[in-house]
Amino acid sequence: MAKKRAKDILREYHDAWSSGDVEKGCSYYGDNLVVHMGGKHPVLSRDFHGAKGFIEGWVNKVADYTDKWIVGGEAGHDELICESDDAIVIMVHEIWTRGDKEVRTDRIAAYRFENEQIVECWFCDMRQAEVDAFFSGIQ
């Protein structure tokens, strides 16, 4: 059986998250996952270790804080920057709302794979100061 390419794995991973299937989305993470979130936010900008650490420390905090979180679609579709069999870099477009406030961002997302699982991710927002300010209420 041929090894899946990074872009195919990432497409399946994004489809799982887009459908709301957190368990399936997390199944793409390797046991040794490390997620590097850029910025200067005191809670959200740091390294997260393991799927549980990332989900509890970043994903759930962002989801609980926002009224709406849009990835792709009306925010803009992902753009492939470069890829290999074991890594991919894309531009992701996101919108978050809370009350009458909204922030849009373009995020560089780099993923590294081992054995067809995501083992490391780096995220950097092009509007990082705006993103950090928007989430200033997360303590």
Side-chain angles (χ1 to χ4, degrees):
M1 182 172 178
K3 178 179 163 184
K4 288 185 184 176
R5 291 186 52 87
K7 70 178 181 180
D8 298 322
I9 299 167
L10 194 64
R11 183 179 310 109
E12 292 171 9
Y13 166 73
H14 278 197
D15 288 347
W17 279 104
S18 296
S19 73
D21 191 341
V22 174
E23 185 176 335
K24 185 173 181 183
C26 287
S27 75
Y28 289 89
Y29 296 141
D31 293 337
N32 56 341
L33 174 72
V34 179
V35 178
H36 310 279
M37 294 301 297
K40 295 183 178 180
H41 192 280
V43 175
L44 300 177
S45 300
R46 62 185 182 90
D47 292 345
F48 296 90
H49 297 269
K52 183 178 179 183
F54 177 54
I55 298 301
E56 292 177 0
W58 197 90
V59 174
N60 289 349
K61 289 180 189 286
V62 168
D64 291 346
Y65 187 77
T66 57
D67 299 325
K68 185 166 50 168
W69 180 358
I70 300 168
V71 180
E74 69 183 81
H77 296 287
D78 295 350
E79 300 167 61
L80 177 65
I81 295 172
C82 62
E83 66 167 312
S84 71
D85 286 347
D86 298 315
I88 191 166
V89 179
I90 60 173
M91 179 72 75
V92 179
H93 307 283
E94 298 187 44
I95 301 170
W96 294 289
T97 64
R98 179 178 171 92
D100 63 350
K101 295 182 180 179
E102 176 182 285
V103 67
R104 293 175 169 261
T105 192
D106 304 312
R107 171 179 291 157
I108 297 286
Y111 296 85
R112 188 172 64 82
F113 300 84
E114 289 178 3
N115 300 316
E116 299 185 3
Q117 289 194 303
I118 300 167
V119 294
E120 198 163 19
C121 311
W122 294 262
F123 298 106
C124 181
D125 291 295
M126 299 296 96
R127 295 176 185 89
Q128 191 67 61
E130 291 175 45
V131 171
D132 288 344
F134 178 83
F135 288 111
S136 64
I138 296 179
Q139 302 298 321

